[in-house]
Amino acid sequence: MRQFYLGKTSSGYYKAYFIDPVTGCRDYGKSTGTKDKIEAAIIANDWLKNGKPTAHANSRKLKSDDSLLVPTSLKSFVDRLSEAEAKTVMSMLSQKFGFTSPVVSQKPVEVGEPVVETLAPVPVPSSAEVVKPKKVIVIKKTADGKMQLVKNKKQVVKDGSSSVPSIGLTSDGKHLLCDNLENFWDYDTSVFIKRQLDRGHSLSKKYAFCMKSFVRNYWRPYFGDDMCIEDLTVPDLDDFLFYLHDAKELASETINKNINCVNRCLNWLAKQQKIKVNPVASVERFKVDADERDIPTEQEIRSLLALDWENHSAKLAFKVAAFYGLRAGEISGLRVCDIDVVADMLYVRHSYSEMDGLKSTKNKEIRELPIDHALALQLMSQARLNPEFGDLSYVFWSVKNHKMPITPGYYGDCFYKALEEIGVSEAVRKDRNIVFHSLRHFCCTILKQRADKEIVMEIMGHKSGRMTDHYSDHETQEKFDNMRTIISGAWEKYISA
């Protein structure tokens, strides 16, 4: 199992993620303070041996402590050595790798006579230890569809191991499980993802990152680096899935997501005729008892509207979600050009996530919503508070970076705190399964009781009536009042008699 991974931040710096050898879990990572991958690997390897420093990799505290300095290149390392330190390093290298260090001739030197240094003879390895490069045959497909043999490709094989012609492929043509999975879900390099996007399908960076995390956190620690897809059996997979269920105590839904992660990759490899059988296709999934999502009552909504929230922008986001059914990502994606205060219209053109940034809506369509004039003015007033105000600036802008929006998860945190202030504790909220997305269910439920399904579908942006029915399948006090009126009217003459 690998002891650490390197990953790039949005700024281009490399972070080192260390793996717990016992649990197999990855930590939150620590920035190496460099954009050079080789330098980052040197730094991470030093942390692995000596422990991670408490200071930031590029902080003054770290750089002022000579004992924590990590050389960022061999040249800088050599430049910092004194003569005594150099001799010590040579002795250490000689002990570790077994070669004889350079020695200075012991012949006495007269004054003015030049000093001649000689190198001690280097032992010649035996024929069994000699590492010879092996030729690898590579076949490429040309533009006209013909197969072309590419020669002069060599690969050095250590300790007599077999050559590996390509990533994720062994010398005997088998496919390494975890290497293929990670390559399949790598958003920047995956052929599958590129073709999906080219075909117009939606596949976000966030989703690909989650799938890749499943591979790194569960599949690779369990199966290791050498398990091949061709050697994977259904009993092996069943043992692994019950390991996730019993040892890791993962929810059934999460285990099924792990199955989807691998099944999609292996299905694609089978369609490409790279493997004969997809063993995951025969695996039985776990039953998921989905908790039905509840919605706030009408009285709770009125109490939340009357409440003085700590954050004005969070309360405004609550109104947009409850009255117009916008998702949290769509609220973050609202920009000034999406609000028409003259026509009182709101245009839902984008969604936003931390990983994908600004992107299209879930169904890639624009929704045009008539909104209340007072709310349109409130949204514009919120946008004008931004020091970077402009047509493309965000309505719900971040105080840390005025050019970026508030992250979608923030609205939920403020919503939960507001619920506690009106008497809905965290335990009750979780028991009722109320989340920020419940406000979209609330909006759909109220509208469904007052309008045709087709109109509600347009407002909510649903592609099917079944989805609208799912979102509006909640009981409301108004619905009970209507039922009471109908029942009393129907049976009044019988009851009075």
Side-chain angles (χ1 to χ4, degrees):
M1 183 175 69
R2 295 180 63 178
Q3 295 175 301
F4 67 85
Y5 294 90
L6 293 178
K8 258 189 178 181
T9 66
S10 57
S11 304
Y13 290 93
Y14 279 94
K15 291 183 71 175
Y17 299 91
F18 292 89
I19 308 299
D20 190 312
V22 179
T23 64
C25 297
R26 190 184 72 177
D27 66 4
Y28 292 101
K30 186 173 185 64
S31 176
T32 60
T34 178
K35 296 183 179 181
D36 187 283
K37 191 172 183 179
I38 297 178
E39 294 177 359
I42 295 174
I43 294 173
N45 192 58
D46 185 86
W47 289 348
L48 188 64
K49 294 179 181 177
N50 305 320
K52 291 185 293 184
T54 56
H56 295 294
N58 58 351
S59 65
R60 292 181 181 177
K61 179 182 177 182
L62 180 64
K63 292 182 178 180
S64 63
D65 188 352
D66 291 338
S67 63
L68 294 177
L69 276 174
V70 179
T72 57
S73 68
L74 291 176
K75 185 178 184 304
S76 63
F77 171 69
V78 172
D79 290 343
R80 292 177 56 247
L81 292 177
S82 64
E83 183 178 354
E85 291 172 338
K87 292 180 179 179
T88 303
V89 170
M90 290 302 301
S91 175
M92 294 170 63
L93 291 174
S94 177
Q95 291 176 6
K96 181 175 181 180
F97 296 104
F99 56 76
T100 306
S101 59
V103 293
V104 181
S105 174
Q106 301 300 320
K107 178 183 176 181
V109 181
E110 300 293 337
V111 179
E113 182 181 354
V115 178
V116 179
E117 294 183 351
T118 60
L119 292 177
V122 179
V124 180
S126 62
S127 58
E129 298 174 342
V130 174
V131 177
K132 296 182 179 180
K134 292 188 178 181
K135 293 184 179 180
V136 178
I137 300 175
V138 180
I139 299 177
K140 286 188 176 181
K141 193 173 184 179
T142 59
D144 56 359
K146 296 181 179 179
M147 305 307 292
Q148 179 183 359
L149 179 64
V150 181
K151 298 182 179 179
N152 299 326
K153 293 287 182 179
K154 294 183 180 180
Q155 182 172 2
V156 176
V157 183
K158 298 181 180 179
D159 301 326
S161 60
S162 302
S163 62
V164 180
S166 62
I167 297 176
L169 198 64
T170 63
S171 60
D172 54 355
K174 291 184 178 181
H175 294 78
L176 294 170
L177 174 65
C178 295
D179 284 357
N180 274 275
L181 289 175
E182 287 201 21
N183 185 60
F184 181 83
W185 289 114
D186 190 296
Y187 193 87
D188 297 323
T189 61
S190 172
V191 176
F192 166 77
I193 293 178
K194 182 181 184 302
R195 292 181 179 179
Q196 285 290 101
L197 297 177
D198 289 345
R199 289 189 175 104
H201 298 299
S202 177
L203 208 161
S204 66
K205 288 184 179 179
K206 183 178 180 181
Y207 181 79
F209 178 80
C210 290
M211 294 296 105
K212 197 171 182 179
S213 298
F214 286 147
V215 180
R216 291 180 173 178
N217 295 335
Y218 303 119
W219 291 81
R220 190 178 287 279
Y222 184 89
F223 287 105
D225 300 332
D226 300 326
M227 171 59 77
C228 295
I229 298 173
E230 289 79 359
D231 299 331
L232 200 61
T233 64
V234 175
D236 291 336
L237 290 166
D238 277 338
D239 291 342
F240 168 66
L241 296 177
F242 279 102
Y243 159 77
L244 295 181
H245 181 271
D246 299 333
K248 291 296 185 180
E249 298 182 347
L250 297 186
S252 298
E253 185 178 2
T254 306
I255 296 175
N256 288 343
K257 287 180 180 178
N258 271 271
I259 297 175
N260 294 338
C261 164
V262 180
N263 186 55
R264 200 164 184 181
C265 173
L266 270 56
N267 266 341
W268 186 75
L269 290 175
K271 290 179 180 178
Q272 299 295 317
Q273 298 181 350
K274 295 184 178 181
I275 61 174
K276 295 180 179 180
V277 182
N278 172 15
V280 183
S282 303
V283 171
E284 184 177 354
R285 296 174 183 272
F286 283 67
K287 183 179 179 181
V288 179
D289 296 325
D291 296 330
E292 186 176 351
R293 182 164 290 162
D294 198 2
I295 62 173
T297 64
E298 294 98 314
Q299 181 56 48
E300 288 169 345
I301 294 293
R302 284 191 286 267
S303 299
L304 289 169
L305 288 171
L307 180 69
D308 184 18
W309 291 41
E310 286 186 2
N311 189 294
H312 171 73
S313 59
K315 183 176 183 179
L316 190 56
F318 156 76
K319 292 180 182 179
V320 174
F323 298 156
Y324 300 97
L326 268 69
R327 303 174 179 89
E330 293 172 342
I331 295 173
S332 291
L334 287 177
R335 299 185 293 180
V336 173
C337 58
D338 299 326
I339 306 171
D340 189 340
V341 294
V342 177
D344 293 334
M345 294 292 294
L346 183 67
Y347 300 95
V348 185
R349 296 186 175 99
H350 298 98
S351 183
Y352 178 87
S353 73
E354 294 180 76
M355 188 165 294
D356 294 293
L358 195 65
K359 57 181 182 179
S360 60
T361 58
K362 189 173 182 179
N363 58 13
K364 296 190 175 182
E365 293 184 357
I366 298 175
R367 302 204 304 278
E368 301 178 1
L369 302 176
I371 62 173
D372 179 70
H373 182 66
L375 185 60
L377 293 177
Q378 290 177 34
L379 291 171
M380 188 58 72
S381 298
Q382 165 69 22
R384 287 186 180 277
L385 295 174
N386 188 349
E388 303 283 344
F389 176 78
D391 287 340
L392 298 180
S393 63
Y394 291 100
V395 176
F396 295 90
W397 48 278
S398 170
V399 294
K400 295 182 179 180
N401 186 349
H402 303 148
K403 295 182 179 180
M404 302 299 294
I406 296 174
T407 54
Y410 177 74
Y411 311 126
D413 296 336
C414 296
F415 174 55
Y416 303 152
K417 190 170 184 179
L419 283 173
E420 289 188 6
E421 293 187 27
I422 66 170
V424 181
S425 66
E426 180 181 3
V428 172
R429 173 181 63 80
K430 289 183 177 180
D431 183 63
R432 291 171 58 184
N433 196 18
I434 294 179
V435 296
F436 187 80
H437 197 73
S438 298
L439 297 174
R440 180 169 165 83
H441 285 247
F442 172 82
C443 175
C444 187
T445 300
I446 298 299
L447 293 177
K448 180 76 180 301
Q449 295 175 5
R450 289 170 169 78
D452 296 334
K453 184 189 292 187
E454 289 74 16
I455 295 177
V456 180
M457 288 173 60
E458 287 290 330
I459 296 173
M460 303 302 296
H462 289 153
K463 301 292 286 185
S464 67
R466 183 180 178 183
M467 182 60 69
T468 301
D469 292 338
H470 167 69
Y471 269 72
S472 61
D473 188 21
H474 299 280
E475 307 295 345
T476 64
Q477 187 59 47
E478 183 172 346
K479 181 178 180 180
F480 289 130
D481 292 341
N482 292 337
M483 291 168 60
R484 184 176 289 107
T485 301
I486 293 173
I487 292 173
S488 61
W491 308 114
E492 181 179 5
K493 61 180 179 179
Y494 296 96
I495 296 174
S496 62

